[in-house]
Amino acid sequence: MVKKDVKKQGINNIEFNKEGNFIIASLNPKIYPLEVIYSAVYVFLDKAYVIIDGDPDNEIFVQLKAKNSKEDMEKLGMEFNNELVNYAVYVVQAIRNQPLRKAVIERALLTNTSGNEYCTDCGCKLEYCKDCDVTYCPSCSLDHENETAHEMKEEDYIVDDPLNIAKPWTPPKEAGDEKPKNKKK
Amino acid sequence: MKNLKIKKSDNKAEITLNPLLYPLPSLEKTASVFEKFLDIEITKAGRDHMVILRLKNKEDDIEKLTYEFMNYTFSEVKKEGVGNV
């Protein structure tokens, strides 16, 4: 139930001080946690001088004093309230999405760089072996627990080398570099 | 705010800060930045920190420097990761 005075006068969590050119906002940490308040205040660091006081368990006071004397403090106070709601929604959404974000990151880290999720030979879905840190095809690799199941075949070591890059290169021996042969007496 | 007292005649400011809102490492970092302009004393007042700022150069504005000190401390607190969203 909304109290009668709140219904008549509206919600008023901000006190304006025109002489001092500052506002004081009183905030309930159960509605706006400290992280939300800090984030909202941080937006106003360029426009205003900020002082935070109070008890994080009961009530927090935020004073915003305009850097520019021509600043509309009433507008600043309302913008501050909007910023609080903005970050409160952000936090709620972040908490809701946390399991999903975790799952996406875990999947991304587990995926091989090649991105092959299906066996190229038989088309079966590849499975991941945590012990060997390898993805394998359950039908082609008959016993994946056997270390040889994941070992590379000899054919896999043969690589096409049309430019002869893999060919070992040694400089030709110049005349005079050869070892002198032992002369027979 | 009750936690901020600026005595312009003495070129001095006294700030009482809740360590749950402004942790000591952030305060000390800010103090190291502002020590060119201010003599800074950090003591304990019950569960709170008491920060006393005194102008080094009397031509500076103690009020403005105090508010700048507070803003810088707050940005350090945020940087340290307290209340990061």
Side-chain angles (χ1 to χ4, degrees), chain A residues 64-100:
Chain A
L64 298 175
K65 183 180 169 64
K67 286 184 178 179
N68 182 359
S69 56
K70 290 175 186 174
E71 192 80 50
D72 184 352
M73 292 311 295
E74 198 168 343
K75 196 180 167 191
L76 198 80
M78 298 302 177
E79 279 178 5
F80 178 64
N81 269 342
N82 277 8
E83 215 57 59
L84 284 169
V85 175
N86 178 29
Y87 279 102
V89 169
Y90 182 85
V91 167
V92 170
Q93 292 294 346
I95 291 167
R96 278 184 191 165
N97 293 334
Q98 195 176 15
L100 187 65

Side-chain angles (χ1 to χ4, degrees), chain A residues 22 24 34-39 41-42 45 48-56 60-63 65 67 87 90-91, chain B residues 1-4 15-18 20-23 47 63-64 67-68 70-72 74-75 77-79 82-85:
Chain A
F22 66 82
I24 294 178
L34 196 59
E35 56 186 8
V36 170
I37 294 172
Y38 276 0
S39 299
V41 167
Y42 196 73
L45 273 188
Y49 294 118
V50 177
I51 298 174
I52 305 173
D53 196 13
D55 184 357
I60 294 175
F61 300 101
V62 176
Q63 177 181 305
K65 183 180 169 64
K67 286 184 178 179
Y87 279 102
Y90 182 85
V91 167
Chain B
M1 295 280 256
K2 284 178 186 175
N3 64 339
L4 177 65
I15 316 162
T16 314
L17 298 170
N18 185 339
L20 296 175
L21 299 171
Y22 294 95
R47 56 160 206 177
E63 189 178 2
K64 196 178 176 189
Y67 280 115
E68 289 289 352
M70 291 305 299
N71 264 23
Y72 197 94
F74 175 74
S75 64
V77 172
K78 192 81 173 63
K79 216 188 287 178
V82 179
N84 268 359
V85 175

Side-chain angles (χ1 to χ4, degrees), chain B residues 14-45:
Chain B
E14 289 177 4
I15 316 162
T16 314
L17 298 170
N18 185 339
L20 296 175
L21 299 171
Y22 294 95
L24 188 59
S26 305
L27 261 180
E28 286 173 340
K29 265 191 182 177
T30 310
S32 68
V33 172
F34 279 79
E35 65 185 4
K36 288 178 188 173
F37 312 103
L38 297 163
D39 284 321
I40 302 161
E41 201 181 315
I42 303 173
T43 53
K44 276 224 159 191

Side-chain angles (χ1 to χ4, degrees), chain A residues 122-151:
Chain A
C122 64
C124 290
K125 195 175 181 184
L126 296 180
E127 286 184 20
Y128 176 70
C129 175
K130 282 184 183 175
D131 299 331
C132 314
D133 192 24
V134 170
T135 50
Y136 69 96
C137 174
S139 59
C140 294
S141 310
L142 294 174
D143 181 15
H144 91 276
E145 288 173 4
N146 184 356
E147 287 179 5
T148 54
H150 302 310
E151 280 179 4

